[in-house]
Amino acid sequence: MSDIIYTKVDEAPELASASFLPIIQKFAATAGVSVGTKDISLAGRILASFPEHLSAAQRQSDDLAELGRLVKTADANVIKLPNISASVPQLVAAVKELQSQGFALPDYPEAPQTDADKLVRAKYDGIKGSAVNPVLREGNSDRRAAKAVKSFAQNNPHRMGDWAADSKTHVSAMSGGDFFSNETSATLAKDSTAKIVLTTGAGETILKEDIAYTAGTVVDATFMSAAALQAFLTDEIEKTKADGTLFSLHMKATMMKVSDPIIFGHAVKAFLAPVFEKHGDAMRDLGVNPNSGLGDLLARVNDNAAIMKDIEACMASRPPLYMVDSDKGITNLHVSSDVIIDASMPALIRAGGKGWGPDGRESDANCVIPDNSYAPVYDETIKFFKENGKLNPATAGTVQNVGLMAQKAEEYGSHPTTFEIAEAGTVKMILDDGTVLHSHTVEAGDIWRSASARKAPIEDWVNLAIDRQKAEGCRAIFWLDAARAHDAELVAYVKPILEAKGVADKFEIMAPREATRASLETITKGDNTIAITGNVLRDYLTDLFPILELATSAKMLSIVKLMNGGGLFETGAGGSAPKHVQQLLKENHLRWDSLGEFCALGESLIFLADIKGNEKARVLGQAVDAATQAILDNGRSPSRKVGEPDNRDSHYWFARYWAEALAAQTDNAKLAAHFAPIAEALSGNEDKILSELADVQGPNVDLGGYYRTDAAKTAAVMRPSETLNAIIG
Ligand code: NAP
């Protein structure tokens, strides 16, 4: 196994790797550090799942499973780039492409009937969605802006929308009947096996059994009342209309892939309530499923003039919808995964509380976030900016995050234990010794879910928070609401650990709303704070604060301190930027910024030095940090426009600054001597290299595939400078 694993992924970051990885490998080798790859791309994961359909030469190892094992060892040092979390259309497209490349894969069975089809479907379903991160995240999360990135943002503040004190933008959440208010939680005294049983007038149905929990696990159960949700949504549609704002729904259907598409479906039904009332049967016959969104619904009823006419009339009577793409008429309710709360709410807040309306203009919005668990974070942020005006990125301090994430902690691991209830009754979670851990009276259509967080990850998370607070010396707040069932169980873990370690006075514990205000006040003063949160707030806050402070979350350091001693370095919080690939294919310009990779590389090398005592790796890592700083200071990040420097140029500059920093350092004379001529060659050939890179831009290019590109074609496109290639070797 290589010393460092650099993941092979998809789309823009993978294209960037074709240019950047050869540089990393060459430089790292001088410290005796090997950098290998493991394929976690969508295409790679598909191929690894169907060996029986492939020839011996076509078969691919299951690298994700291998990485899953590696991250449980002390040797792990993985740089994880963003990969595709495939929706069904993406999965189907990838299968089609692979078939066209000669891989005899089975089609994705839309409606599997036979056992064989069901097996194929189960394999594909295992590849879908956020399948990768939970396997790798065997540790808790430490996310923050690297010093170089934060000071660059302060020196070059981005534009922020103005907040008017009388802005009508606000957050609406349910005041009862939601997951927040129905939650019950308990910490298990001993190892237990649980079952979830629904009892109705007709008898008992086991929803799930043999759920194994270890002692100390915090197990929650809760439900969202469908009736309360419908009443809330209906009411909010009316209120939005009266307010003259945009109706906007914000959820996370990609991550909460069982519950949130159902909630989204309720919103579609509420918005088109008169149409569903009148044409419900006909629409069902046409295959309409509100959970699939307005886009799918319109496609299915398109040929039925009567339904279309009533939809039009209904939409005209409704408040305007917040738009995903007003040019193309794609609304908030078209596809459940288009509006993702952790990205959509910060973008709206950064814009001064404005969203795009159907008329293509910006408007105030009613931000509907049905469940009230975390809605107060956005509500309080909006109130704060209305009172105090927008944040000033030039002077603002930073909010770092320490997030409980390991072993699928909390709601984000709840898909297998989330159910839409078929019939009114009682849902009980019963332990093997007969204890009824949780019991809820439910109605048909309610969404019941149970989530858990294990003891070892929780303790590790508190200890990580203690380490981080010690390293930073700043204010540190546990975002826990003592009045919420689940959070109260966590507080019972947190307080004794802080006390035993004698650091209780260094930490505060506050409910999310109060913690939001306290954090905003702190950074407004220019000070820093650490938000120590559960898994969902980890996700939300590491977009919210970076987007306000740095304009993007893609440039964050994202470190997973693995519980068994290894390190996982995620590059940025952004995704795989499909739009960037479109641009490259069209005009051979890649605007992907590898800053996330630069930051992760520096951390990975220094971690290697700490763990393995490889001092040369430390020198390399420190030089990476110097190079990253130089990229920012000298404005060498990629431009968005064809004909201007792109991702490849930024890698040239990175290699050059890295070599220059290594040549200039005095900690290791051998490395300095080795890199001096390389630095000289890179600077001496600047004009030649840059013109070789610039010359290729403009025409379209062929990569031999999208999900599985041709390696030689990709290398030719991404490494077009012979002079640079010769120096790198
Ligand atoms: P995205 O890839 O983050 O792209 C949204 C936009 O963010 C891009 O179009 C780009 O803006 C900007 N961006 C993100 N990273 C950037 C970078 N390094 N340099 C420059 N600009 C950057 O979001 P998405 O389109 O919603 O998601 C694409 C895929 O990524 C999906 O399959 C999603 O599931 C997956 N994803 C993976 C991870 C992960 O593995 N950790 C995280 C999030 C999403 P401009 O177009 O304006 O340049």
Side-chain angles (χ1 to χ4, degrees):
M1 187 69 78
S2 310
D3 297 312
I4 295 175
I5 300 291
Y6 201 81
T7 52
K8 175 171 162 49
V9 290
D10 319 89
E11 298 183 326
E14 186 52 23
L15 294 173
S17 294
S19 153
F20 188 36
L21 187 56
I23 297 171
I24 301 177
Q25 286 169 324
K26 197 70 190 178
F27 277 56
T30 60
V33 174
S34 58
V35 183
T37 59
K38 287 279 169 221
D39 185 352
I40 55 168
S41 67
L42 178 58
R45 287 181 289 130
I46 293 173
L47 292 177
S49 301
F50 292 96
E52 67 280 13
H53 291 260
L54 307 176
S55 70
Q58 287 177 326
R59 278 183 203 150
Q60 191 159 319
S61 56
D62 188 348
D63 284 10
L64 179 59
E66 216 173 299
L67 278 183
R69 286 189 288 275
L70 177 67
V71 293
K72 291 185 179 140
T73 70
D75 279 340
N77 188 332
V78 180
I79 297 177
K80 153 72 174 67
L81 281 76
N83 61 289
I84 291 179
S85 305
S87 62
V88 173
Q90 279 173 306
L91 186 65
V92 169
V95 171
K96 206 166 155 210
E97 174 180 320
L98 290 166
Q99 289 169 335
S100 77
Q101 292 175 348
F103 298 96
L105 293 165
D107 287 334
Y108 175 81
E110 292 283 353
Q113 301 297 334
T114 65
D115 283 351
D117 275 359
K118 282 181 190 159
L119 193 69
V120 169
R121 172 66 182 260
K123 280 192 181 181
Y124 279 130
D125 283 349
I127 300 167
K128 240 163 50 180
S130 307
V132 170
N133 286 335
V135 177
L136 302 185
R137 288 175 170 171
E138 270 295 319
N140 290 306
S141 150
D142 163 14
R143 277 195 183 177
R144 55 199 139 96
K147 284 213 167 62
V149 172
K150 180 68 184 170
S151 59
F152 176 78
Q154 288 179 321
N155 295 332
N156 303 275
H158 54 274
R159 237 174 40 82
M160 299 274 274
D162 287 315
W163 269 95
D166 62 351
S167 163
K168 287 185 187 168
T169 293
H170 65 285
V171 170
S172 303
M174 293 167 74
S175 56
D178 60 341
F179 291 126
F180 176 68
S181 50
N182 289 324
E183 187 174 81
T184 52
S185 183
T187 301
L188 298 180
K190 55 180 198 289
D191 290 0
S192 307
T193 307
K195 61 179 174 181
I196 302 168
V197 182
L198 169 67
T199 311
T200 67
E204 277 193 355
T205 313
I206 295 180
L207 298 177
K208 191 161 182 78
E209 56 190 339
D210 297 330
I211 315 167
Y213 294 118
T214 46
T217 300
V218 175
V219 183
D220 316 328
T222 185
F223 72 99
M224 175 165 286
S225 154
L229 175 63
Q230 273 292 330
F232 163 76
L233 290 167
T234 306
D235 197 35
E236 286 308 322
I237 292 167
E238 289 307 319
K239 282 186 184 157
T240 313
K241 173 102 183 166
D243 254 9
T245 52
L246 302 173
F247 180 88
S248 69
L249 177 72
H250 304 262
M251 291 180 330
K252 183 118 185 175
T254 46
M255 194 57 119
M256 303 304 291
K257 58 188 173 190
V258 179
S259 59
D260 284 18
I262 303 173
I263 298 174
F264 178 83
H266 280 284
V268 173
K269 262 188 288 187
F271 210 81
L272 292 181
V275 183
F276 275 94
E277 242 159 66
K278 189 166 163 194
H279 302 286
D281 292 342
M283 285 176 22
R284 201 170 315 116
D285 291 345
L286 289 168
V288 168
N289 175 359
N291 301 4
S292 303
L294 188 56
D296 179 80
L297 183 152
L298 289 173
R300 288 179 192 272
V301 305
N302 195 32
D303 295 334
N304 186 315
I307 301 180
M308 288 301 284
K309 190 162 157 265
D310 286 341
I311 289 177
E312 235 165 76
C314 176
M315 295 294 275
S317 74
R318 294 305 201 191
L321 277 171
Y322 166 86
M323 300 300 281
V324 170
D325 187 335
S326 54
D327 291 343
K328 294 189 182 141
I330 299 175
T331 72
N332 182 193
L333 297 180
H334 264 60
V335 181
S336 65
S337 57
D338 270 356
V339 176
I340 310 263
I341 183 167
D342 51 341
S344 58
M345 283 304 299
L348 184 139
I349 291 169
R350 201 194 128 189
K354 302 288 183 192
W356 295 100
D359 55 0
R361 294 215 195 123
E362 285 194 322
S363 251
D364 290 348
N366 179 7
C367 307
V368 177
I369 304 174
D371 181 43
N372 201 25
S373 301
Y374 307 109
V377 169
Y378 298 112
D379 186 43
E380 196 63 23
T381 303
I382 287 172
K383 287 188 172 134
F384 185 86
F385 290 135
K386 279 191 201 171
E387 287 162 27
N388 299 287
K390 65 187 174 187
L391 189 77
N392 179 357
T395 55
T398 192
V399 181
Q400 306 186 343
N401 182 272
V402 172
L404 172 58
M405 177 176 80
Q407 301 177 353
K408 304 179 189 169
E410 299 184 317
E411 291 101 318
Y412 277 12
S414 70
H415 327 305
T417 46
T418 302
F419 306 96
E420 190 173 28
I421 301 299
E423 211 183 321
T426 308
V427 182
K428 286 188 180 147
M429 182 176 247
I430 307 168
L431 302 184
D432 46 354
D433 66 0
T435 309
V436 176
L437 198 63
H438 299 294
S439 174
H440 290 108
T441 306
V442 291
E443 301 294 327
D446 290 356
I447 308 163
W448 187 96
R449 80 164 179 230
S450 172
S452 63
R454 293 181 183 205
K455 179 180 179 184
I458 297 170
E459 291 175 344
D460 179 82
W461 166 68
V462 182
N463 286 317
L464 179 60
I466 294 172
D467 288 349
R468 289 293 311 139
Q469 194 284 330
K470 197 168 163 208
E472 299 288 331
C474 65
R475 186 174 195 184
I477 303 171
F478 280 90
W479 291 45
L480 296 172
D481 177 359
R484 180 183 161 188
H486 166 79
D487 287 8
E489 300 297 311
L490 288 196
V491 171
Y493 267 109
V494 171
K495 280 189 171 167
I497 299 177
L498 296 181
E499 266 151 33
K501 296 232 164 150
V503 292
D505 59 328
K506 303 260 192 283
F507 293 87
E508 296 160 84
I509 299 178
M510 286 183 205
R513 180 181 296 282
E514 286 69 39
T516 302
R517 181 157 291 258
S519 300
L520 285 167
E521 282 168 355
T522 303
I523 62 170
T524 301
K525 279 191 290 186
D527 294 333
N528 301 337
T529 176
I530 305 173
I532 308 150
T533 68
N535 208 351
V536 180
L537 281 181
R538 166 196 65 78
D539 199 17
Y540 291 8
L541 300 193
T542 58
D543 273 317
L544 176 63
F545 291 113
I547 286 173
L548 298 176
E549 293 174 29
L550 316 170
T552 171
S553 59
K555 296 176 179 173
M556 295 287 281
L557 262 183
S558 181
I559 300 167
V560 183
K561 272 280 179 94
L562 297 168
M563 285 166 58
N564 289 332
L568 171 68
F569 305 91
E570 297 189 30
T571 65
S576 47
K579 281 185 206 154
H580 293 200
V581 188
Q582 284 168 22
Q583 188 186 16
L584 177 93
L585 293 173
K586 190 167 152 235
E587 52 193 27
N588 202 355
H589 177 93
L590 184 67
R591 66 181 189 266
W592 175 261
D593 187 343
S594 294
L595 196 69
E597 289 98 291
F598 301 158
C599 291
L601 177 64
E603 292 289 323
S604 164
L605 285 165
I606 289 169
F607 180 75
L608 190 82
D610 289 342
I611 297 287
K612 299 254 169 87
N614 179 339
E615 287 310 311
K616 280 186 177 173
R618 188 180 311 283
V619 172
L620 277 178
Q622 285 164 344
V624 164
D625 290 347
T628 308
Q629 182 84 56
I631 289 274
L632 290 168
D633 291 347
N634 297 304
R636 301 298 183 195
S637 299
S639 147
R640 302 175 60 82
K641 276 203 214 115
V642 66
E644 294 180 3
D646 79 349
N647 177 265
R648 294 163 287 195
D649 298 73
S650 77
H651 293 162
Y652 157 72
W653 287 108
F654 184 84
R656 176 166 159 186
Y657 294 142
W658 195 5
E660 286 173 353
L662 284 162
Q665 55 78 33
T666 51
D667 291 328
N668 188 302
K670 265 195 184 157
L671 281 180
H674 177 84
F675 279 99
I678 299 176
E680 236 176 76
L682 287 167
S683 75
N685 286 289
E686 176 183 325
D687 291 345
K688 196 162 176 225
I689 293 171
L690 293 182
S691 81
E692 284 170 1
L693 292 174
D695 282 351
V696 298
Q697 289 200 39
N700 58 12
V701 294
D702 168 33
L703 300 172
Y706 185 90
Y707 293 99
R708 186 175 169 278
T709 60
D710 179 277
K713 284 183 179 171
T714 307
V717 169
M718 290 309 301
R719 304 187 70 202
S721 165
E722 286 306 330
T723 311
L724 176 59
N725 297 349
I727 297 170
I728 298 302

